[in-house]
Amino acid sequence: MIALGKLFRSTAFKLSLAFLALSAIGAGIVLGIVAFEVVSFVDDETKKTIAAEADGLSEQYAQGGIRRLGFVIEHRAREPGSSLYLLTNFAGESLAGNVARLPAGVLDRPGFVETPYETIDDSSDDRRALARIFLLPGGFRLLVGHDLRDRARISGLMVRALAISLIVLAVLGALGGLFVARRVLSRIDAMSNASRAIMAGDMAERLPVSGSGDELDRLAENLNMMLARIDALMTGMREVSDNIAHDLRTPLTRLRNHAEEALRLEGDKKAYRAALERTIEESDSLIGIFNALLMIARAETGADRAQMGDFDVGEAARAVADLYEPAAEEAGATLNPTIEPGIIVRGNRELLGQSIANLLDNALKYGAPAPTLALAAPTAPGGDTLALARAEVRLSVKRVGDTVEIAIADHGAGIDAADRLRVLDRFVRLEGARSRPGSGLGLSLASAVAHLHGGAMRLEDNAPGLRVVIELPAKPAALGDPSQQRQTAAACADATS
Ligand SMILES: Nc1ncnc2c1ncn2[C@@H]1O[C@H](COP(=O)(O)OP(=O)(O)OP(=O)(O)O)[C@@H](O)[C@H]1O
Ligand SMILES: [Mg+2]
């Protein structure tokens, strides 16, 4: 149950009150305008009636002079209604009519006048009239008027309507305000409770979303997405620190053991040297691991996003392939790059180059048989050809629709479908790989870099061997780009065939 004080203090309630005040002012203005129009209309009608009556009397005056006029007025004054008449002589004494008293000086000014008055049979002082004064020859004065009670009644009605509508508005506004405030407050309270749970350490908790799609829902959805991102980053950080704790302990222990061993070698300078060299090697490998971990963490958090630029991905891949040419030779493999020119991507050239290098390194390490093996290949028919085919590593960069496909394929043992996701985790090395150097970070980095560029990396069966495909969004090809023209031509050919 939400406390009433809290409801009254809520922004929703205060906003409702502000709207209520505005509506009340609006209602007042509208009713004021209506009242003014009605009163003006009544006044106009009264003036018209007075003018018509005055015309009639003027005719009588023209026909029979002051006597006839007095007679007609006396006759009309006796008729029921709200018409008022008064005829006075030059001394101001009443000769005929139903008006008994007027404020002093009213009869001196010809024209329309609004004035209080008393009748012969009613001396209450709240009577008002709209009247026209005429000056007649001989100092006679004629007043033709109309009682304004109807107008006063209409004005009273208007004021009552305004008061009633203000009361209704106030009640409805207050109730509406309380209802809205309650609804909003209960949702805000639910959100505060959820955020308190999150602050207490329950990172799986999320802000409630009502499903109405309103601004509170949008806010909750955005905050939930932010929480999911923070959660993912924290999990990543935790994984990195766990990895460091577990997986770096072995090489560090090895380093320590080498140093300890060296200490035991007494006096042998050569042995000391060899031990120190081994220590430096181990340290370099450790530094390499730290650098790789750092690169993965930066790619995963998107820290390098600001340094992205446009570059020719084919050129970058060829540069890496050139670097790996001697290594391929040494491994008894042929490196076959098939690269479409002019494919531009937006990204970090250094990171993408490092990913391609990791994949080529893997293909040569696990996909190409050692040269000795190639030499010892069976001499059975087709045996040499098989050995040669197995040692081929293909690198291809091509554009497929709006994406760039970078693929590295080998003919080695490949990776079982069940392990293809697992190997993307940090420090995961499969059984057959233990005899080769490495720390299990190459694929993790390549995958993180693909994600950083808005793409993805997948492992496929190359039957036999492994095919790793990195898909990245490509920048739209410039007009006249030969590769694009080739693709368009190919698409046209496909469509017509
Ligand atoms: N082309 C491949 N053919 C067969 N197995 C592979 C291939 N590439 C990777 N693997 C397997 O996946 C594991 C993870 O590869 P990853 O590149 O992440 O680490 P690594 O090569 O062992 O070490 P690092 O790349 O850090 O030097 C490897 O240990 C290996 O077992
Ligand atoms: Mg590797």
Side-chain angles (χ1 to χ4, degrees), residues 239-240 243-244 247-248 285-297 300 354-355 358-359 361-362 365-366 422-430 437-449 457:
E239 273 173 15
V240 172
N243 290 153
I244 290 175
D247 297 87
L248 291 185
S285 134
L286 267 174
I287 291 169
I289 291 175
F290 271 116
N291 283 342
L293 276 175
L294 209 67
M295 257 199 217
I296 295 170
E300 280 179 350
Q354 183 62 57
S355 307
N358 289 357
L359 300 178
D361 182 59
N362 283 354
K365 232 177 359 180
Y366 311 110
R422 191 166 73 86
V423 283
L424 301 185
D425 286 345
R426 276 175 281 252
F427 294 110
V428 173
R429 306 197 74 207
L430 300 178
S439 42
L441 293 174
L443 289 178
S444 311
L445 177 71
S447 168
V449 168
M457 186 180 91

Side-chain angles (χ1 to χ4, degrees), residues 461-473:
D461 191 354
N462 196 35
L466 184 72
R467 184 164 186 267
V468 186
V469 183
I470 296 179
E471 269 182 355
L472 304 177

